[in-house]
Amino acid sequence: DGLRGDILIDVGCGPTIYQLLSACEHFQEIIALDYTDQNRRELEKWLKNEAGAFDWEPVVKYVCELEGDREKWAEKQEKLRKKVKQVLKCDVTKANPTGPVSLAPADCIVSTLCLEGACKDLATFRSALRNISTLLKPGGHLVMVTALGDTYYTFNKQTFSCLCLQKHEVEEAVVAAGFEVRFSEAQPYTVRDERMDLRGVLGLVARRCPSAR
């Protein structure tokens, strides 16, 4: 709430749109970045309204209900489709995550459940934050959702590693990357779930220091 501007970049968008449904009301242009070809292709299928694309309608209706008008779901879908201008490959472990493409600095970056899956250790996580900070204008904002205390997750009978992070480690890494933390709140996750050992989820908003390079 209160964050707005011209360009928003979603770092590690996955094949999903839920994280952009509210953001599309506050930014004029959205650029979606992801490492895997499959995720980018799945997102593009939905953006182009192709046959076989995942049906996000129940989620869009739920978000619209949270925002106060459930009946605007079709309008919101079309608004988001129009605002996502590019879907590009990125690698957060590289100094220029979108290389060889160079992007105009964004007003805001959203990164949802991405870096902890992409980074093997805390040093790589801290480096990745510095790398994605270069995509942002000084004074721009970073909005992150990060898994806490999670070492693995399982999908479709395949297990993936996850960097086990604590709240203070994420906050310290964000500050070290040139940000001022504006909001940080951890929600415990207490559901017993054999597919992962998640302990909590951290929501964080930070502002890139104007002096950051």
Side-chain angles (χ1 to χ4, degrees):
D1 188 29
L3 300 187
R4 59 187 66 249
D6 295 322
I7 300 174
L8 177 133
I9 296 177
D10 184 0
V11 176
C13 59
T16 62
I17 65 161
Y18 67 87
Q19 70 280 9
L20 297 173
L21 290 170
S22 293
C24 76
E25 305 292 345
H26 300 281
F27 294 88
Q28 300 309 309
E29 178 180 334
I30 295 172
I31 301 168
L33 308 179
D34 200 82
Y35 182 76
T36 72
D37 298 340
Q38 301 98 309
N39 283 347
R40 296 195 309 277
R41 176 67 190 122
E42 190 64 34
L43 176 59
E44 286 172 335
K45 280 170 64 176
W46 184 86
L47 291 171
K48 296 173 182 176
N49 208 9
E50 294 180 7
F54 187 80
D55 181 13
W56 285 99
E57 183 179 321
V59 176
V60 181
K61 285 181 176 177
Y62 178 64
V63 170
C64 288
E65 188 175 314
L66 290 174
E67 293 178 348
D69 191 347
R70 183 180 174 89
E71 300 309 311
K72 283 192 172 181
W73 68 270
E75 179 184 326
K76 183 182 280 288
Q77 284 198 149
E78 290 315 303
K79 179 179 287 187
L80 179 54
R81 285 187 169 113
K82 288 177 182 175
K83 288 198 173 180
V84 178
K85 304 297 186 184
Q86 298 183 78
V87 180
L88 301 172
K89 185 179 180 70
C90 86
D91 184 343
V92 297
T93 66
K94 294 183 177 179
N96 176 13
T98 59
V101 178
S102 293
L103 298 175
D107 299 284
C108 185
I109 287 176
V110 171
S111 187
T112 307
L113 305 173
C114 167
L115 299 186
E116 62 272 39
C119 300
K120 62 182 180 178
D121 53 35
L122 187 56
T124 309
F125 180 81
R126 292 168 71 94
S127 175
L129 272 167
R130 289 194 297 271
N131 294 341
I132 68 171
S133 75
T134 64
L135 303 173
L136 194 60
K137 293 177 181 176
H141 286 84
L142 168 69
V143 180
M144 283 179 67
V145 176
T146 306
L148 298 178
D150 196 21
T151 64
Y152 75 93
Y153 60 96
T154 302
F155 178 75
N156 199 25
K157 298 182 180 179
Q158 187 171 352
T159 300
F160 300 88
S161 64
C162 186
L163 179 60
C164 185
L165 291 165
Q166 305 303 318
K167 180 174 183 280
H168 70 92
E169 292 175 323
V170 178
E171 292 170 345
E172 289 166 3
V174 168
V175 170
F179 290 91
E180 173 194 4
V181 176
R182 291 290 184 87
F183 171 86
S184 180
E185 183 175 280
Q187 298 285 346
Y189 187 82
T190 57
V191 179
R192 290 183 63 85
D193 191 338
E194 293 180 354
R195 294 171 298 178
M196 55 187 174
D197 57 354
L198 181 69
R199 298 295 178 86
V201 176
L202 177 67
L204 181 145
V205 179
R207 179 174 179 263
R208 190 177 184 211
C209 298
S211 59
R213 292 184 177 180

